[in-house]
């Protein structure tokens, strides 16, 4: 068995850890670019802490899911202000943007020089600017991953910048930062976390370290996502979800994902839809199809038993089998009011284009079994 595992140099986890942002950032430099979500006012307490530690900060807000152009502008801002460090504060969009900006500010060039699939795929050779990642949602795990997902509007898809040099130097995970998330965001980000635990656990590149994190993370989502959605101030549930998100980040970065993320990258590039909602709509269909395809073509695959184990972790029932897990995910998605793909604007006429693009997406490569075009069509039509 061979595997490797990458992680930030330090991870600080726990309620109230935001207070440590000042001294941590001061250890990385004196001039910071702070990449936030669309409302930079949410970062005001952070900015006060940085100021108190003698750090001059320039704020760069990301107004939605990041594009190549936003990253170009953020990189220019980092260079013209002489930023010595980058702080990402927010959901997956600002964190991914911060990682891309920290990489490009150090390496020079354009995002498309380095991006997978749509770009030239050159390696990022120089270390990124030091990066402190502070998530304020519980879903993407971006604070510990090595890629940044960017939309390329000229290509109409999302694709990644990916390099070991992009793993943030420091990750600070304070579950209290997620208390104010509205229920719809709790649902979509939490279901992204769940997908990012189930896909690595059942992918073709898993390893024992990732497996342990996935088992622990899936159980936490199962017991806490509904509670965090119903009561955002349920501290124990928020802590579980922040941990599940962190574990999912480790899992996807160190194993891989599957067809849900292959599809969701394509759909997210073509439609304005929350990433987690797209994943949630696809997840039960991909689980069911992967299992059926494995039974047909690789009946001895050890992954088949893993779908039964996922079902036991989700339902808490020692006798549960794969179908029960699929049904559990479906029920949860309905209970949390996650919109269907149709509600996100996806129509049956879009199926051929989405399937062609998803078949070559990087997420699809670690799917436990190669799916045929007909199987991909069936999944997508089911999710619409
Ligand atoms: Fe995801």
């Amino acid at each position: 068995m061979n595997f490797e595992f990458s992680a930030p140099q330090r991870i600080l986890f726990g309620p109230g850890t935001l207070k440590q942002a000042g001294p941590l950032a001061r250890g990385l430099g004196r001039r910071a670019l702070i990449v936030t979500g669309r409302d930079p006012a949410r970062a005001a307490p952070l900015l006060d802490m940085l100021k108190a530690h003698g750090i001059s900060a320039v704020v760069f807000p990301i107004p939605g899911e990041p594009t190549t152009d936003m990253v170009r502008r953020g990189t220019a801002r980092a260079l013209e202000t002489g930023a010595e460090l980058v702080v990402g504060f927010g959901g997956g969009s600002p964190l991914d943007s911060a990682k891309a900006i920290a990489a490009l500010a150090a390496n020079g060039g354009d995002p498309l020089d380095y991006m997978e699939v749509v770009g030239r795929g050159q390696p990022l050779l120089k270390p990124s600017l030091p990066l402190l990642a502070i998530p304020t949602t519980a879903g993407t795990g971006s604070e510990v991953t090595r890629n940044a997902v960017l939309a390329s509007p000229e290509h109409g898809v999302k694709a990644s910048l990916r390099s070991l040099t992009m793993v943030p130097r420091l990750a600070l995970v304070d579950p209290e930062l997620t208390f104010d998330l509205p229920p719809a965001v709790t649902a979509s980000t939490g279901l992204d976390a769940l997908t990012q635990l189930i896909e690595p656990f059942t992918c073709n590149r898993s390893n024992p370290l990732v497996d342990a994190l996935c088992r622990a993370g899936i159980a936490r989502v199962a017991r806490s996502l509904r509670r965090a959605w119903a009561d955002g101030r349920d501290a124990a549930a928020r802590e579980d979800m922040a941990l599940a998100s962190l574990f999912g980040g480790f899992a996807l970065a160190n194993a891989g994902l599957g067809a849900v993320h292959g599809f969701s990258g394509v759909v997210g590039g073509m439609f304005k839809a929350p990433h987690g909602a797209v994943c949630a709509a696809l997840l039960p269909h991909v689980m069911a199809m992967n299992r059926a395809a494995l039974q047909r073509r690789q009946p001895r695959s050890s992954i088949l038993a893993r779908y039964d184990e996922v079902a036991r972790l989700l339902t808490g029932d020692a006798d549960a089998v794969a179908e029960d897990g699929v049904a559990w995910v479906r029920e949860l998605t309905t209970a949390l009011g996650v919109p269907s793909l149709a509600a996100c604007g996806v129509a049956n006429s879009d199926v051929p284009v989405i399937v062609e693009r998803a078949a070559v997406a990087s997420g699809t490569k670690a799917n436990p079994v190669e799916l045929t075009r007909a199987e991909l069509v069936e999944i997508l039509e089911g999710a619409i």
Side-chain angles (χ1 to χ4, degrees):
M1 179 188 307
N2 297 61
F3 70 89
E4 76 168 73
F5 196 92
S6 68
Q9 239 172 41
R10 284 177 76 192
I11 299 159
L12 286 85
F13 184 93
T17 39
L18 180 66
K19 291 190 192 78
Q20 300 185 48
L24 283 176
R26 185 65 192 84
L28 301 177
R30 279 178 179 277
R31 281 193 299 276
L33 184 79
I34 318 296
V35 183
T36 71
R38 86 165 47 80
D39 178 12
R42 290 197 65 201
L46 170 69
L47 294 175
D48 290 343
M49 289 175 204
L50 297 180
K51 203 171 159 191
H53 282 80
I55 297 167
S56 67
V58 173
V59 176
F60 186 76
I62 298 288
E65 298 207 344
T67 64
T68 44
D69 211 45
M70 288 178 207
V71 166
R72 286 183 190 113
R73 283 187 279 117
T75 304
R77 200 85 182 95
L79 293 173
E80 77 204 13
T81 58
E84 296 167 341
L85 73 143
V86 178
V87 180
F89 181 87
S93 296
L95 294 194
D96 276 10
S97 304
K99 286 155 71 179
I101 290 167
L104 287 162
N107 282 272
D110 188 78
L112 287 173
D113 290 338
Y114 307 101
M115 278 169 76
E116 296 175 345
V117 186
V118 297
R120 286 175 280 284
Q122 293 171 14
L124 287 155
L125 297 173
K126 295 183 187 160
S128 292
L129 290 185
L131 173 61
L132 167 60
I134 308 174
T136 63
T137 64
T140 68
S142 176
E143 66 275 13
V144 297
T145 68
R146 61 184 77 161
N147 67 313
V149 182
L150 307 181
S152 174
E154 58 263 52
H155 299 93
V157 290
K158 288 182 182 175
S160 275
L161 277 172
R162 193 184 310 269
S163 169
L164 272 176
T165 60
M166 287 175 64
V167 178
R169 180 85 60 92
L170 302 171
L172 193 162
V173 184
D174 184 342
E176 288 181 355
L177 296 174
T178 67
F179 281 11
D180 293 333
L181 291 177
V185 179
T186 301
S188 62
T189 51
L191 288 161
D192 186 25
L194 178 62
T195 309
Q196 294 178 173
L197 290 157
I198 293 177
E199 290 212 290
F201 188 63
T202 53
C203 80
N204 59 21
R205 297 201 289 249
S206 189
N207 69 61
L209 193 42
V210 162
D211 291 345
L213 291 166
C214 290
R215 290 186 177 104
I218 291 168
R220 283 187 157 82
V221 174
R223 72 183 182 208
S224 291
L225 178 51
R226 273 178 199 253
R227 282 169 46 206
W229 174 80
D231 174 9
R233 305 220 149 237
D234 183 330
R238 288 297 197 188
E239 189 169 296
D240 263 354
M241 290 309 301
L243 273 177
S245 171
L246 182 68
F247 293 176
F250 281 132
L252 80 90
N254 292 290
L257 290 162
V260 176
H261 275 82
F263 272 121
S264 67
V266 175
V267 172
M270 294 171 67
F271 301 89
K272 284 226 171 298
H275 169 72
V278 175
C279 288
L282 288 155
L283 180 60
H285 299 279
V286 170
M287 288 167 74
M289 182 60 80
N290 279 347
R291 183 164 170 273
L294 283 167
Q295 279 174 328
R296 280 197 289 269
R297 298 199 283 281
Q298 298 170 39
R300 290 166 181 274
S301 168
S302 60
I303 308 280
L304 282 166
R306 289 188 172 229
Y307 282 109
D308 292 333
E309 190 178 351
V310 167
R312 293 196 295 274
L313 289 164
L314 289 174
T315 61
D317 175 355
D319 297 323
V321 293
E323 287 90 342
D324 303 315
V326 174
W328 189 96
V329 171
R330 246 187 249 273
E331 279 165 28
L332 177 69
T333 311
T334 308
L336 302 191
V338 176
S340 67
L341 288 188
C344 298
V346 183
N348 279 316
S349 55
D350 299 311
V351 168
V353 176
I354 295 173
V355 164
E356 281 316 303
R357 291 179 182 176
V360 297
S362 59
T364 310
K365 291 194 188 115
N367 200 60
V369 55
E370 195 172 335
L371 297 171
T372 65
R373 291 289 199 275
E375 287 165 345
L376 291 170
V377 166
E378 195 179 325
I379 289 170
L380 189 55
E381 287 180 346
I384 294 171

